[in-house]
Amino acid sequence: LFLCITGSAPLAVFMFNFPFVVGAGNEKYAPAAFFFATIVLTIFSVGYVQMARKLRAAGGMFTYVSHGLGRRLGMMSGFSLAAAYTLFGASLIGGFAAFAQAKVAEVTDSQPINWIWFALLGIVGIAALGYFDIPISAKILGVALLFELAIILIFTIGVFAQGGNDGVSIEPVLPWNAFKGVAFGLGIFIAFWSWVGFEAAPNYAEESKEPHRIIPIAVYVSCVFVGVLYTLASWASVSSYGPANEAFDALSAGTTTVFGGELAVDYLNFNVVPAEQLIGSWLGQAMEIFIITGAFACAAALNNAGLRYTYALGREGLLPKALGRTHKKHRTPHVAVLAQALIAAAIVLAFRFADRGALDVYYWIAVQGVIWIILVQALTSLAVWAYFRREGEPSERHWWKTTVAPWIGFLAQMLVLYLCYKYLSSLAAGDVLYVKELGQIGPWEIGRWSFEIDITWLGIIGVIVPV
């Protein structure tokens, strides 16, 4: 449970994703996007849990797709997941390095140390945790997670206890308002991004006691808990600026006057400003410190999830078999741990030599991985229906658990992918690595509905890798 919730990176979502959903997605309706994602992913979990009870494997969704839809789509899912989680680990290291660099420079009152050294130090630390003992990782992640949750809860309760900033409106949290905003499709996609990691629970089935009982609990509790937390916290976040659209206005203008004097607001201090103004400067300071440990903890959790996919693929001979070995003493997939550390190091070094900042690693590498995660989650839903229809005992089939819920999960997540591609060019503002708009496909018209997709290099890579 700690690994799943830590993988979702609550404080990183709070500091990075919340302002992005507000400023580049749903505006004041950001909480509705998180509420919508909570509903869809909870429904997805219904079928997911049925497969987790039936099959135990470190491959998780990769294994489920293989059993439900066949080996070809299973292989595609396995490679996509291994690639996605490898990217996630590296991207969070970028976030860790950016904040560590800034905080060390502030504390020592000196020139900033190059961010690459913080990144490489983080990679070494994560590799050591994964190499020697997974329970040690869980304990360290658990302590860091508790501090993260405390900060978010203090902010959320503090804002609502004061009635927000000039009142609290119910409109931002109503789930049907998720389809409003300057680029609501991108906002919904980023909201779904915020859950990445919760689906990793079945990957630990072979290492856990009583997996038949505890894996479903970990899936449901992590999904619903994270959903409630994100929905309420994002509601508090927009309400801390005001009941109208003051939060979006602040990000658009780069300043706000809702707290009295004029204050600078950007995507990094979006929640720090109201925390300091409404609750106390100590909370803003805590956010700036624990985002460092939070980003590190998240990188470690996602790295753990990714190496299990790599390990499963190696064990089945779909990647070099050395990746499927376990350490004689520590019983960890040590070769996979070292391989992922080398890949992460190569990614951050590539950004450094391209003269890019640490946050570029977070924003532009993570987005790519999410495309694959949502695709595989959608296929997993379809695999649940196919598996129980073809191989399940009649007593195991259920109209909701193995039919309706999986189909809702499949169609809803394919819709999220479509919305991502439709609004993907919103990520391409300016000269940002390979994320440049190339053109538009469509529109197509089906009855009253019109469909079109913006194509970017990021989108093309998202399609080519699974193919």
Side-chain angles (χ1 to χ4, degrees), residues 1-331:
L1 183 60
F2 271 128
L3 289 168
C4 291
I5 296 178
T6 304
S8 299
L11 193 59
V13 169
F14 182 78
M15 297 288 281
F16 296 145
N17 294 13
F18 279 13
F20 209 159
V21 177
V22 173
N26 300 85
E27 302 180 36
K28 71 173 182 178
Y29 301 109
F34 286 100
F35 197 174
F36 174 74
T38 303
I39 294 169
V40 171
L41 290 172
T42 301
I43 294 173
F44 159 77
S45 297
V46 171
Y48 193 47
V49 161
Q50 296 308 112
M51 286 293 268
R53 287 193 170 115
K54 189 73 176 177
L55 301 171
R56 288 177 54 189
M61 291 192 292
F62 149 57
T63 304
Y64 301 162
V65 174
S66 295
H67 282 272
L69 300 179
R71 193 167 178 82
R72 285 190 183 90
L73 285 177
M75 287 174 64
M76 181 276 286
S77 299
F79 283 117
S80 296
L81 289 169
Y85 277 105
T86 299
L87 293 184
F88 287 143
S91 72
L92 264 297
I93 283 294
F96 161 80
F99 279 92
Q101 178 193 42
K103 200 62 184 176
V104 169
E106 177 189 331
V107 170
T108 60
D109 192 23
S110 60
Q111 288 295 317
I113 301 170
N114 197 297
W115 66 267
I116 191 63
W117 298 113
F118 293 100
L120 294 175
L121 180 64
I123 291 169
V124 171
I126 289 170
L129 291 175
Y131 187 94
F132 290 110
D133 195 348
I134 292 166
I136 293 176
S137 300
K139 291 173 185 176
I140 293 174
L141 296 174
V143 172
L145 175 64
L146 291 176
F147 282 109
E148 289 188 51
L149 295 179
I151 289 170
I152 296 171
L153 290 173
I154 290 169
F155 176 87
T156 303
I157 295 170
V159 170
F160 284 131
Q162 298 179 65
N165 191 3
D166 197 30
V168 177
S169 170
I170 190 67
E171 283 190 2
V173 81
L174 300 176
W176 47 85
N177 286 336
F179 299 90
K180 294 181 179 179
V182 64
F184 69 84
L186 185 58
I188 291 174
F189 174 77
I190 296 167
F192 273 79
W193 167 1
S194 305
W195 265 260
V196 166
F198 100 92
E199 80 292 339
N203 298 25
Y204 301 98
E206 295 182 6
E207 304 167 48
S208 60
K209 297 176 182 178
E210 299 182 81
H212 181 80
R213 181 178 67 86
I214 69 170
I215 296 301
I217 293 173
V219 171
Y220 279 129
V221 173
S222 59
C223 179
V224 176
F225 173 79
V226 164
V228 172
L229 179 72
Y230 289 165
T231 302
L232 292 177
S234 60
W235 192 11
S237 184
V238 295
S239 299
S240 69
Y241 282 87
N245 212 14
E246 291 92 342
F248 174 77
D249 294 338
L251 283 171
S252 299
T255 62
T256 186
T257 57
V258 299
F259 303 107
E262 185 171 322
L263 296 171
V265 177
D266 58 32
Y267 282 84
L268 293 181
N269 73 357
F270 176 74
N271 284 316
V272 173
V273 169
E276 292 182 339
Q277 297 299 315
L278 299 181
I279 300 168
S281 60
W282 61 270
L283 184 59
Q285 289 293 319
M287 288 179 181
E288 293 175 346
I289 292 171
F290 284 104
I291 187 60
I292 299 172
T293 60
F296 178 82
C298 177
L302 295 176
N303 184 72
N304 274 340
L307 69 87
R308 273 150 188 76
Y309 287 114
T310 306
Y311 166 72
L313 289 165
R315 190 170 61 177
E316 297 195 21
L318 301 176
L319 284 176
K321 290 191 175 182
L323 296 172
R325 296 176 189 164
T326 54
H327 195 280
K328 291 181 180 179
K329 179 181 178 181
H330 305 296
R331 308 305 302 165

Side-chain angles (χ1 to χ4, degrees), residues 370-394:
V370 180
I371 292 173
W372 298 327
I373 291 288
I374 294 178
L375 171 63
V376 175
Q377 285 181 175
L379 291 177
T380 300
S381 291
L382 197 60
V384 173
W385 169 77
Y387 178 82
F388 283 97
R389 181 171 177 265
R390 185 179 65 247
E391 299 187 26
E393 298 293 330

Side-chain angles (χ1 to χ4, degrees), residues 347-367:
I347 290 172
V348 298
L349 286 169
F351 273 77
R352 172 64 188 91
F353 290 134
D355 201 25
R356 296 288 176 172
L359 283 179
D360 285 333
V361 183
Y362 175 78
Y363 283 118
W364 305 112
I365 292 296
V367 169

